[in-house]
Amino acid sequence: MDVRVDAEGPDAADRLRSLYGWLSDDQLLRGRLGLRERPPEPGTLGPVLEAVLVALGPGGAATALATGVIAWLRNRRGDVRLKVTLEDGRSLELTGKRVAGLDAAALRRQAADLAALLGQGDENPERRHLEPGEPPEPREIPERGGRGDPERRELS
């Protein structure tokens, strides 16, 4: 399944490059990330970055993406807005302001909601699939440590 992450605002391309670099540090996401660019506007040079693309599959990539996006948002300043969209059109909008003030338990819930949207646990045949517009059920994601180690992702 492919996932598209968009940013809003005049500095959206810079934020997407930063997010791409952050997510690239995660071993579970290496080789699954791409950038979507559009042709330059008339009178400008170079293509414009539109989105970060992520190819999800088995092996924890959904959880890695969810925790990576939440951790990245938590480290941003100002009004940062991201929209995570699945191939079927379901999406979730996240803002840095909403994430910055969350405690560790709330951060885990936010990451779990995003992981649920991304299909975390699809290898479990008993998992109930969400309908468009239906909120995911909160689930626990274990706390982890250091940013560069995919087995030790820090959320707080």
Side-chain angles (χ1 to χ4, degrees), residues 1-2 25-26 29 44 50 53 60 67 71 73 80 92 94 98 104 107 111 116 119 126 131 143-144 146 156:
M1 164 183 14
D2 289 336
D25 285 343
D26 193 321
L29 295 175
T44 63
E50 278 188 327
L53 304 176
T67 56
L73 273 172
V80 180
L92 181 65
L94 302 163
R98 283 184 42 206
L107 282 170
E126 295 180 16
E131 297 298 321
E143 288 189 51
R144 299 178 183 190
S156 55

Side-chain angles (χ1 to χ4, degrees), residues 8-140:
E8 294 181 8
D11 56 350
D14 291 335
R15 289 183 175 168
L16 289 171
R17 276 187 206 83
S18 172
L19 175 63
Y20 177 83
W22 181 281
L23 295 174
S24 295
D25 285 343
D26 193 321
Q27 215 171 16
L28 290 173
L29 295 175
R30 286 191 191 135
R32 297 175 182 264
L33 299 170
L35 298 173
R36 181 179 176 109
E37 298 175 326
R38 64 174 153 65
E41 301 291 327
T44 63
L45 298 175
V48 177
L49 181 57
E50 278 188 327
V52 173
L53 304 176
V54 186
L56 296 180
T63 299
L65 176 60
T67 56
V69 166
I70 298 297
W72 180 86
L73 273 172
R74 177 126 180 174
N75 286 287
R76 301 302 111 196
R77 301 287 180 246
D79 187 21
V80 180
R81 302 176 75 77
L82 295 178
K83 183 176 182 179
V84 179
T85 307
L86 304 180
E87 291 174 329
D88 65 6
R90 290 181 294 155
S91 65
L92 181 65
E93 292 190 19
L94 302 163
T95 66
K97 284 183 178 180
R98 283 184 42 206
V99 172
L102 297 178
D103 63 16
L107 282 170
R108 284 192 300 275
R109 281 192 303 274
Q110 186 77 41
D113 286 349
L114 182 53
L117 175 73
L118 297 172
Q120 171 61 24
D122 275 351
E123 63 279 356
N124 179 355
E126 295 180 16
R127 182 181 181 276
R128 188 174 69 81
H129 291 277
L130 300 174
E131 297 298 321
E134 179 184 6
E137 294 177 19
R139 291 191 281 175
E140 285 296 311

